[in-house]
Amino acid sequence: MSPGLSVHRYSIILLGAVGVGKGTQAKKLVETLKIPQISTGDILRAEIAAGSDLGSQVKGIMERGELVSDDILIDLVRSRLDKPDTARGAIFDGFPRTIPQADALEKLLLEVGLPAPIVVTIDVPDQEIIERLASRRTCLSCGMTLSLALDKDAVQSHKCPDGKTPNVVQREDDRPETVENRLKVYREKTAPLLEYYRRRRSLRTVSGTGTTNEVYARIAIELDSGTE
Ligand code: AMP
């Protein structure tokens, strides 16, 4: 990505089904663009880990792979956008997931003075998603994802490579029976956003197959071409 990109203001939405690599790519974009990732899934998992009221309200819904209500999500993102680290923008990962959330985000971005979003959707065939998630492990403390095959030590010890907590587990909702439901929910509730953003001429599509760096290079090309 061209070095000048880190001085722009950005709203970037990473769209795509569960397991296409949105979180991994968001973390790489955070490093380059120096703006925060807003992962609503990570925020909700942190609420569950902290034992908050919100956490206990959403735990069962998340374990079943259903969507948490729009009102909760919109409030959560509104508060997150109030924090000063989003002054130059944010990378949205897992939000919006429904049309009402997309409408709300459009308004919120206007209110906080951020540009209309560039939306990058990452495409991976369903069969590959199912295989990826069967071997995905997640650090519930920092959100980093690991692979059963590639990160054997971390997976066996449950210790995240970034050091501290023994919190590397298979997410409840990454179990095969729940993954199918999450793909169904994606097709029904979230896939309509593709047309929503296509109509606004904000949608870019990249293939999510290949290495992390290959996918990142495709995203960087789309962001370069989308910079005003
Ligand atoms: P993720 O980590 O993005 O796969 O999200 C995990 C789970 O959190 C989802 O399956 C939903 O239950 C919930 N969740 C996260 N983001 C949203 C959202 N934008 N709208 C509704 N539910 C969400």
Side-chain angles (χ1 to χ4, degrees), residues 61-196:
I61 301 172
M62 289 175 70
E63 283 175 1
R64 291 191 300 277
E66 304 289 343
L67 293 187
V68 174
S69 79
D70 288 335
D71 288 350
I72 290 182
L73 265 294
I74 292 164
D75 280 351
L76 203 121
V77 170
R78 181 182 292 114
S79 330
R80 184 62 188 84
L81 281 173
D82 273 344
K83 300 207 171 133
D85 64 335
T86 61
R88 282 189 44 252
I91 299 151
F92 296 91
D93 155 20
F95 183 92
R97 264 177 155 99
T98 64
I99 303 266
Q101 290 180 18
D103 284 338
L105 181 62
E106 194 166 76
K107 290 199 192 99
L108 284 174
L109 291 175
L110 265 177
E111 277 168 33
V112 298
L114 286 173
I118 302 173
V119 183
V120 179
T121 179
I122 307 176
D123 256 0
V124 173
D126 278 7
Q127 190 49 42
E128 186 173 333
I129 290 178
I130 291 166
E131 286 161 17
R132 281 187 190 187
L133 291 187
S135 80
R136 176 163 91 171
R137 297 295 179 270
T138 304
C139 173
L140 291 186
S141 296
C142 72
M144 184 190 288
T145 54
L146 302 144
S147 139
L148 194 55
L150 301 178
D151 307 292
K152 282 199 184 100
D153 288 349
V155 169
Q156 269 167 17
S157 66
H158 302 289
K159 282 219 174 86
C160 182
D162 80 354
K164 302 130 224 160
T165 40
N167 230 348
V168 174
V169 297
Q170 179 172 43
R171 278 170 46 180
E172 281 291 330
D173 58 352
D174 278 353
R175 296 176 196 280
E177 52 287 9
T178 314
V179 167
E180 264 183 41
N181 191 36
R182 290 166 77 199
L183 288 172
K184 181 167 161 272
V185 168
Y186 171 78
R187 278 191 291 270
E188 286 174 8
K189 304 269 176 56
T190 307
L193 288 180
L194 299 178
E195 189 49 34
Y196 177 99

Side-chain angles (χ1 to χ4, degrees), residues 28-70:
K28 285 182 79 72
L29 287 168
V30 165
E31 281 168 31
T32 314
L33 300 175
K34 316 283 185 230
I35 55 176
Q37 169 191 13
I38 299 184
S39 161
T40 44
D42 283 352
I43 297 173
L44 292 171
R45 278 185 289 278
E47 293 286 337
I48 295 174
S52 72
D53 285 350
L54 175 59
S56 48
Q57 208 178 327
V58 301
K59 187 168 187 284
I61 301 172
M62 289 175 70
E63 283 175 1
R64 291 191 300 277
E66 304 289 343
L67 293 187
V68 174
S69 79
D70 288 335

